[in-house]
Amino acid sequence: MDLVRRTIERYVPLTDAEWSRIAPNWQEFAFTRGARICGIGQVEQRFYIVKSGVQRLSFPHDGNDLCIGFAYDGSWCGEFASFLSRKPARFEVTAVTDSALLGIQYDDLQQLYREMPIMERWGRLLVEELILGRAVREVEQLSLSAEERYDRLMARSPHLLQLVPQKDIASYLRMTPETFSRLRKRK
Amino acid sequence: MDLVRRTIERYVPLTDAEWSRIAPNWQEFAFTRGARICGIGQVEQRFYIVKSGVQRLSFPHDGNDLCIGFAYDGSWCGEFASFLSRKPARFEVTAVTDSALLGIQYDDLQQLYREMPIMERWGRLLVEELILGRAVREVEQLSLSAEERYDRLMARSPHLLQLVPQKDIASYLRMTPETFSRLRKRK
DNA sequence: AGTAGTTCTTGACCCACATCAAGCGTGATC
DNA sequence: GATCACGCTTGATGTGGGTCAAGAACTACT
């Protein structure tokens, strides 16, 4: 649970008093491999910090899943768009491995925002960071070839190959499992 | 200038007192057609609200520009990633038509965030909205064919065709000008 | 251990869209 | 109103990566 405090404090400092107001709002959730953390059509109720495990963000598209991203230790997890907008999720979140997540309920977070300007700031900085990540990924998607995207991911997150099925990585890189397999062989 | 107040009040209510603190931080900027609003490599100094005109967000990629998005009346404008991170811009912002923009300086905005929790909230809600827009676009990019993307854009923003060169729209839709031209003919 | 359901690999083939090239507006500049 | 510079169109040709298919290697379940 201290993980939550450390994670928040990467953005804003917290006094012990502030933390003791915040802490009770966070709860631990366990998901077994393959479990659905948020399904398409439902409204995401929580925002999570990953304590352990790997999770996948994806959406189904004629037959197979298109993979949008992964979350792991220390990163955020959840269907943010649904969480923020309170609209049905377009993406689903699945536990790729057994996972322990620390989550906060939407209403509780809004209450914290209302009571504590420091939390409002945290919320802003957090979403700003998400935007920056998206911008980087957008450039890479647009300007790199299939092979370059493969190289880039393997350079940055080689561990992913051990953690999640190749077809998911392939989909994340916007290529078919066949192409991914052929690229691996070439190296 | 009242446009700024109205735009902010789409997210949070402002008292006259609050507004009179905020207003002096916003300034009007004029750009003529073709002018560079933010160049690649420089740090975006301002966050803009569009008073009039159309602007383009793009980045160069072997020879031509890859177009990421457009801004027009009432929407936000600028290289947000650079503005938020204070790092050199990866994208450039160009005036497609003569443009009048209302802008606020980075430091001034941070000062407002510090002084006024209501502005901090505005900032949070604003970036949340930007993220939601990205999610929608990401789904469309991934799940629609070139022709479907064309149809979707023509249904939603037919006016764009009158405002910006076809090659930019083509690039925004991730296709060559030739493909775009052929799609138009088919309709 | 045996069966069934996945995922990964490999080969053969295909196609949507890109690339290349040439001619045609159209509007800015002198 | 001639010249120049782009943007748009149209046709011919090329190709990266997708699709289809079939077998091999895992994994999970009983």
Side-chain angles (χ1 to χ4, degrees), chain A residues 54-78:
Chain A
V54 178
Q55 303 79 41
R56 188 189 64 180
L57 184 70
S58 64
F59 72 99
H61 178 243
D62 46 51
N64 13 252
D65 282 4
L66 275 176
C67 194
I68 302 295
F70 301 99
Y72 21 76
D73 295 32
S75 66
W76 316 115
C77 176

PDB file of all heavy atoms in Angstrom, chain A residues 54-78:
ATOM      1  N   VAL A  54       1.277  -8.503 -15.177  1.00  0.00           N
ATOM      2  CA  VAL A  54       1.199  -7.768 -16.444  1.00  0.00           C
ATOM      3  C   VAL A  54      -0.254  -7.750 -16.901  1.00  0.00           C
ATOM      4  O   VAL A  54      -0.950  -8.761 -16.793  1.00  0.00           O
ATOM      5  CB  VAL A  54       2.061  -8.450 -17.534  1.00  0.00           C
ATOM      6  CG1 VAL A  54       1.945  -7.716 -18.859  1.00  0.00           C
ATOM      7  CG2 VAL A  54       3.519  -8.508 -17.099  1.00  0.00           C
ATOM      8  N   GLN A  55      -0.683  -6.599 -17.392  1.00  0.00           N
ATOM      9  CA  GLN A  55      -2.043  -6.480 -17.888  1.00  0.00           C
ATOM     10  C   GLN A  55      -2.027  -5.949 -19.308  1.00  0.00           C
ATOM     11  O   GLN A  55      -1.095  -5.270 -19.710  1.00  0.00           O
ATOM     12  CB  GLN A  55      -2.867  -5.535 -16.987  1.00  0.00           C
ATOM     13  CG  GLN A  55      -2.918  -5.963 -15.531  1.00  0.00           C
ATOM     14  CD  GLN A  55      -1.639  -5.577 -14.808  1.00  0.00           C
ATOM     15  OE1 GLN A  55      -1.117  -4.496 -15.024  1.00  0.00           O
ATOM     16  NE2 GLN A  55      -1.132  -6.465 -13.954  1.00  0.00           N
ATOM     17  N   ARG A  56      -3.104  -6.272 -20.017  1.00  0.00           N
ATOM     18  CA  ARG A  56      -3.194  -5.910 -21.422  1.00  0.00           C
ATOM     19  C   ARG A  56      -4.416  -5.048 -21.676  1.00  0.00           C
ATOM     20  O   ARG A  56      -5.495  -5.330 -21.148  1.00  0.00           O
ATOM     21  CB  ARG A  56      -3.294  -7.196 -22.239  1.00  0.00           C
ATOM     22  CG  ARG A  56      -3.220  -7.031 -23.718  1.00  0.00           C
ATOM     23  CD  ARG A  56      -3.540  -8.340 -24.401  1.00  0.00           C
ATOM     24  NE  ARG A  56      -4.921  -8.729 -24.128  1.00  0.00           N
ATOM     25  CZ  ARG A  56      -5.488  -9.836 -24.589  1.00  0.00           C
ATOM     26  NH1 ARG A  56      -4.778 -10.702 -25.292  1.00  0.00           N
ATOM     27  NH2 ARG A  56      -6.745 -10.096 -24.318  1.00  0.00           N
ATOM     28  N   LEU A  57      -4.247  -4.010 -22.489  1.00  0.00           N
ATOM     29  CA  LEU A  57      -5.364  -3.162 -22.908  1.00  0.00           C
ATOM     30  C   LEU A  57      -5.610  -3.445 -24.384  1.00  0.00           C
ATOM     31  O   LEU A  57      -4.688  -3.338 -25.192  1.00  0.00           O
ATOM     32  CB  LEU A  57      -4.991  -1.690 -22.706  1.00  0.00           C
ATOM     33  CG  LEU A  57      -6.054  -0.637 -22.990  1.00  0.00           C
ATOM     34  CD1 LEU A  57      -7.152  -0.681 -21.937  1.00  0.00           C
ATOM     35  CD2 LEU A  57      -5.434   0.754 -23.040  1.00  0.00           C
ATOM     36  N   SER A  58      -6.830  -3.819 -24.734  1.00  0.00           N
ATOM     37  CA  SER A  58      -7.080  -4.226 -26.117  1.00  0.00           C
ATOM     38  C   SER A  58      -8.538  -4.032 -26.492  1.00  0.00           C
ATOM     39  O   SER A  58      -9.377  -3.750 -25.644  1.00  0.00           O
ATOM     40  CB  SER A  58      -6.719  -5.699 -26.280  1.00  0.00           C
ATOM     41  OG  SER A  58      -7.570  -6.479 -25.470  1.00  0.00           O
ATOM     42  N   PHE A  59      -8.817  -4.189 -27.775  1.00  0.00           N
ATOM     43  CA  PHE A  59     -10.219  -4.263 -28.174  1.00  0.00           C
ATOM     44  C   PHE A  59     -10.359  -5.229 -29.340  1.00  0.00           C
ATOM     45  O   PHE A  59      -9.449  -5.374 -30.163  1.00  0.00           O
ATOM     46  CB  PHE A  59     -10.797  -2.881 -28.491  1.00  0.00           C
ATOM     47  CG  PHE A  59     -10.313  -2.258 -29.762  1.00  0.00           C
ATOM     48  CD1 PHE A  59     -11.076  -2.323 -30.907  1.00  0.00           C
ATOM     49  CD2 PHE A  59      -9.098  -1.592 -29.799  1.00  0.00           C
ATOM     50  CE1 PHE A  59     -10.639  -1.728 -32.085  1.00  0.00           C
ATOM     51  CE2 PHE A  59      -8.653  -0.999 -30.969  1.00  0.00           C
ATOM     52  CZ  PHE A  59      -9.417  -1.065 -32.115  1.00  0.00           C
ATOM     53  N   PRO A  60     -11.495  -5.914 -29.387  1.00  0.00           N
ATOM     54  CA  PRO A  60     -11.698  -6.937 -30.408  1.00  0.00           C
ATOM     55  C   PRO A  60     -12.033  -6.278 -31.728  1.00  0.00           C
ATOM     56  O   PRO A  60     -12.739  -5.273 -31.756  1.00  0.00           O
ATOM     57  CB  PRO A  60     -12.896  -7.721 -29.877  1.00  0.00           C
ATOM     58  CG  PRO A  60     -13.608  -6.819 -28.948  1.00  0.00           C
ATOM     59  CD  PRO A  60     -12.675  -5.735 -28.530  1.00  0.00           C
ATOM     60  N   HIS A  61     -11.485  -6.838 -32.797  1.00  0.00           N
ATOM     61  CA  HIS A  61     -11.766  -6.298 -34.122  1.00  0.00           C
ATOM     62  C   HIS A  61     -11.695  -7.433 -35.115  1.00  0.00           C
ATOM     63  O   HIS A  61     -10.663  -8.063 -35.256  1.00  0.00           O
ATOM     64  CB  HIS A  61     -10.759  -5.206 -34.492  1.00  0.00           C
ATOM     65  CG  HIS A  61     -10.980  -4.654 -35.862  1.00  0.00           C
ATOM     66  ND1 HIS A  61     -10.051  -4.770 -36.858  1.00  0.00           N
ATOM     67  CD2 HIS A  61     -12.032  -4.009 -36.387  1.00  0.00           C
ATOM     68  CE1 HIS A  61     -10.533  -4.198 -37.944  1.00  0.00           C
ATOM     69  NE2 HIS A  61     -11.725  -3.732 -37.692  1.00  0.00           N
ATOM     70  N   ASP A  62     -12.748  -7.640 -35.822  1.00  0.00           N
ATOM     71  CA  ASP A  62     -13.048  -8.843 -36.587  1.00  0.00           C
ATOM     72  C   ASP A  62     -12.210 -10.072 -36.242  1.00  0.00           C
ATOM     73  O   ASP A  62     -11.237 -10.390 -36.883  1.00  0.00           O
ATOM     74  CB  ASP A  62     -13.112  -8.634 -38.113  1.00  0.00           C
ATOM     75  CG  ASP A  62     -11.967  -7.826 -38.686  1.00  0.00           C
ATOM     76  OD1 ASP A  62     -10.821  -8.181 -38.378  1.00  0.00           O
ATOM     77  OD2 ASP A  62     -12.231  -6.869 -39.408  1.00  0.00           O
ATOM     78  N   GLY A  63     -12.680 -10.721 -35.183  1.00  0.00           N
ATOM     79  CA  GLY A  63     -12.078 -11.997 -34.842  1.00  0.00           C
ATOM     80  C   GLY A  63     -10.980 -11.964 -33.801  1.00  0.00           C
ATOM     81  O   GLY A  63     -11.010 -12.721 -32.847  1.00  0.00           O
ATOM     82  N   ASN A  64      -9.994 -11.053 -33.995  1.00  0.00           N
ATOM     83  CA  ASN A  64      -8.923 -11.053 -33.005  1.00  0.00           C
ATOM     84  C   ASN A  64      -8.865  -9.758 -32.206  1.00  0.00           C
ATOM     85  O   ASN A  64      -9.551  -8.778 -32.501  1.00  0.00           O
ATOM     86  CB  ASN A  64      -7.563 -11.316 -33.657  1.00  0.00           C
ATOM     87  CG  ASN A  64      -7.632 -11.191 -35.155  1.00  0.00           C
ATOM     88  OD1 ASN A  64      -7.572 -12.178 -35.868  1.00  0.00           O
ATOM     89  ND2 ASN A  64      -7.779  -9.962 -35.622  1.00  0.00           N
ATOM     90  N   ASP A  65      -8.007  -9.777 -31.204  1.00  0.00           N
ATOM     91  CA  ASP A  65      -7.860  -8.604 -30.354  1.00  0.00           C
ATOM     92  C   ASP A  65      -6.771  -7.686 -30.889  1.00  0.00           C
ATOM     93  O   ASP A  65      -5.682  -8.136 -31.240  1.00  0.00           O
ATOM     94  CB  ASP A  65      -7.468  -9.025 -28.938  1.00  0.00           C
ATOM     95  CG  ASP A  65      -8.676  -9.531 -28.168  1.00  0.00           C
ATOM     96  OD1 ASP A  65      -9.763  -9.621 -28.782  1.00  0.00           O
ATOM     97  OD2 ASP A  65      -8.527  -9.833 -26.977  1.00  0.00           O
ATOM     98  N   LEU A  66      -7.079  -6.422 -30.951  1.00  0.00           N
ATOM     99  CA  LEU A  66      -6.066  -5.410 -31.266  1.00  0.00           C
ATOM    100  C   LEU A  66      -5.546  -4.871 -29.952  1.00  0.00           C
ATOM    101  O   LEU A  66      -6.304  -4.370 -29.126  1.00  0.00           O
ATOM    102  CB  LEU A  66      -6.687  -4.286 -32.090  1.00  0.00           C
ATOM    103  CG  LEU A  66      -6.755  -4.527 -33.583  1.00  0.00           C
ATOM    104  CD1 LEU A  66      -7.488  -3.390 -34.287  1.00  0.00           C
ATOM    105  CD2 LEU A  66      -5.348  -4.653 -34.127  1.00  0.00           C
ATOM    106  N   CYS A  67      -4.249  -4.984 -29.787  1.00  0.00           N
ATOM    107  CA  CYS A  67      -3.648  -4.648 -28.509  1.00  0.00           C
ATOM    108  C   CYS A  67      -3.159  -3.202 -28.502  1.00  0.00           C
ATOM    109  O   CYS A  67      -2.424  -2.781 -29.400  1.00  0.00           O
ATOM    110  CB  CYS A  67      -2.509  -5.628 -28.266  1.00  0.00           C
ATOM    111  SG  CYS A  67      -1.947  -5.582 -26.606  1.00  0.00           S
ATOM    112  N   ILE A  68      -3.567  -2.454 -27.498  1.00  0.00           N
ATOM    113  CA  ILE A  68      -3.249  -1.028 -27.428  1.00  0.00           C
ATOM    114  C   ILE A  68      -2.058  -0.754 -26.515  1.00  0.00           C
ATOM    115  O   ILE A  68      -1.310   0.187 -26.700  1.00  0.00           O
ATOM    116  CB  ILE A  68      -4.455  -0.241 -26.856  1.00  0.00           C
ATOM    117  CG1 ILE A  68      -5.690  -0.457 -27.699  1.00  0.00           C
ATOM    118  CG2 ILE A  68      -4.147   1.232 -26.717  1.00  0.00           C
ATOM    119  CD1 ILE A  68      -5.561   0.100 -29.072  1.00  0.00           C
ATOM    120  N   GLY A  69      -1.929  -1.574 -25.476  1.00  0.00           N
ATOM    121  CA  GLY A  69      -0.823  -1.317 -24.561  1.00  0.00           C
ATOM    122  C   GLY A  69      -0.763  -2.337 -23.447  1.00  0.00           C
ATOM    123  O   GLY A  69      -1.651  -3.183 -23.312  1.00  0.00           O
ATOM    124  N   PHE A  70       0.316  -2.255 -22.690  1.00  0.00           N
ATOM    125  CA  PHE A  70       0.500  -3.143 -21.544  1.00  0.00           C
ATOM    126  C   PHE A  70       0.767  -2.309 -20.295  1.00  0.00           C
ATOM    127  O   PHE A  70       1.202  -1.161 -20.394  1.00  0.00           O
ATOM    128  CB  PHE A  70       1.703  -4.067 -21.785  1.00  0.00           C
ATOM    129  CG  PHE A  70       1.567  -4.916 -23.002  1.00  0.00           C
ATOM    130  CD1 PHE A  70       2.182  -4.567 -24.196  1.00  0.00           C
ATOM    131  CD2 PHE A  70       0.786  -6.067 -22.969  1.00  0.00           C
ATOM    132  CE1 PHE A  70       2.039  -5.346 -25.331  1.00  0.00           C
ATOM    133  CE2 PHE A  70       0.637  -6.849 -24.103  1.00  0.00           C
ATOM    134  CZ  PHE A  70       1.264  -6.491 -25.286  1.00  0.00           C
ATOM    135  N   ALA A  71       0.504  -2.900 -19.150  1.00  0.00           N
ATOM    136  CA  ALA A  71       0.851  -2.254 -17.888  1.00  0.00           C
ATOM    137  C   ALA A  71       1.615  -3.264 -17.052  1.00  0.00           C
ATOM    138  O   ALA A  71       1.359  -4.471 -17.161  1.00  0.00           O
ATOM    139  CB  ALA A  71      -0.414  -1.803 -17.151  1.00  0.00           C
ATOM    140  N   TYR A  72       2.579  -2.790 -16.294  1.00  0.00           N
ATOM    141  CA  TYR A  72       3.273  -3.678 -15.357  1.00  0.00           C
ATOM    142  C   TYR A  72       3.731  -2.911 -14.124  1.00  0.00           C
ATOM    143  O   TYR A  72       3.376  -1.733 -13.961  1.00  0.00           O
ATOM    144  CB  TYR A  72       4.440  -4.411 -16.012  1.00  0.00           C
ATOM    145  CG  TYR A  72       5.002  -3.785 -17.261  1.00  0.00           C
ATOM    146  CD1 TYR A  72       5.808  -2.661 -17.163  1.00  0.00           C
ATOM    147  CD2 TYR A  72       4.718  -4.295 -18.529  1.00  0.00           C
ATOM    148  CE1 TYR A  72       6.328  -2.079 -18.311  1.00  0.00           C
ATOM    149  CE2 TYR A  72       5.238  -3.701 -19.678  1.00  0.00           C
ATOM    150  CZ  TYR A  72       6.039  -2.593 -19.558  1.00  0.00           C
ATOM    151  OH  TYR A  72       6.545  -2.007 -20.679  1.00  0.00           O
ATOM    152  N   ASP A  73       4.502  -3.604 -13.301  1.00  0.00           N
ATOM    153  CA  ASP A  73       4.912  -3.058 -12.003  1.00  0.00           C
ATOM    154  C   ASP A  73       5.144  -1.553 -12.000  1.00  0.00           C
ATOM    155  O   ASP A  73       5.984  -1.057 -12.740  1.00  0.00           O
ATOM    156  CB  ASP A  73       6.218  -3.716 -11.537  1.00  0.00           C
ATOM    157  CG  ASP A  73       6.038  -5.195 -11.275  1.00  0.00           C
ATOM    158  OD1 ASP A  73       5.212  -5.815 -11.962  1.00  0.00           O
ATOM    159  OD2 ASP A  73       6.718  -5.701 -10.375  1.00  0.00           O
ATOM    160  N   GLY A  74       4.397  -0.873 -11.171  1.00  0.00           N
ATOM    161  CA  GLY A  74       4.637   0.551 -10.991  1.00  0.00           C
ATOM    162  C   GLY A  74       3.930   1.446 -11.983  1.00  0.00           C
ATOM    163  O   GLY A  74       3.894   2.654 -11.804  1.00  0.00           O
ATOM    164  N   SER A  75       3.358   0.853 -13.046  1.00  0.00           N
ATOM    165  CA  SER A  75       2.658   1.719 -13.992  1.00  0.00           C
ATOM    166  C   SER A  75       1.165   1.760 -13.682  1.00  0.00           C
ATOM    167  O   SER A  75       0.666   1.053 -12.825  1.00  0.00           O
ATOM    168  CB  SER A  75       2.924   1.282 -15.438  1.00  0.00           C
ATOM    169  OG  SER A  75       2.359   0.028 -15.692  1.00  0.00           O
ATOM    170  N   TRP A  76       0.466   2.624 -14.395  1.00  0.00           N
ATOM    171  CA  TRP A  76      -0.982   2.760 -14.228  1.00  0.00           C
ATOM    172  C   TRP A  76      -1.686   1.657 -14.981  1.00  0.00           C
ATOM    173  O   TRP A  76      -1.156   1.129 -15.940  1.00  0.00           O
ATOM    174  CB  TRP A  76      -1.452   4.106 -14.763  1.00  0.00           C
ATOM    175  CG  TRP A  76      -0.581   5.225 -14.366  1.00  0.00           C
ATOM    176  CD1 TRP A  76       0.172   6.010 -15.181  1.00  0.00           C
ATOM    177  CD2 TRP A  76      -0.344   5.700 -13.050  1.00  0.00           C
ATOM    178  NE1 TRP A  76       0.862   6.925 -14.443  1.00  0.00           N
ATOM    179  CE2 TRP A  76       0.568   6.766 -13.132  1.00  0.00           C
ATOM    180  CE3 TRP A  76      -0.824   5.329 -11.800  1.00  0.00           C
ATOM    181  CZ2 TRP A  76       1.014   7.459 -12.019  1.00  0.00           C
ATOM    182  CZ3 TRP A  76      -0.376   6.023 -10.681  1.00  0.00           C
ATOM    183  CH2 TRP A  76       0.530   7.065 -10.797  1.00  0.00           C
ATOM    184  N   CYS A  77      -2.885   1.380 -14.572  1.00  0.00           N
ATOM    185  CA  CYS A  77      -3.663   0.354 -15.262  1.00  0.00           C
ATOM    186  C   CYS A  77      -5.132   0.694 -15.199  1.00  0.00           C
ATOM    187  O   CYS A  77      -5.600   1.312 -14.238  1.00  0.00           O
ATOM    188  CB  CYS A  77      -3.385  -1.001 -14.611  1.00  0.00           C
ATOM    189  SG  CYS A  77      -4.344  -2.357 -15.258  1.00  0.00           S
ATOM    190  N   GLY A  78      -5.864   0.300 -16.232  1.00  0.00           N
ATOM    191  CA  GLY A  78      -7.299   0.522 -16.266  1.00  0.00           C
ATOM    192  C   GLY A  78      -7.734   1.062 -17.611  1.00  0.00           C
ATOM    193  O   GLY A  78      -6.897   1.343 -18.467  1.00  0.00           O
TER     194      GLY A  78
END
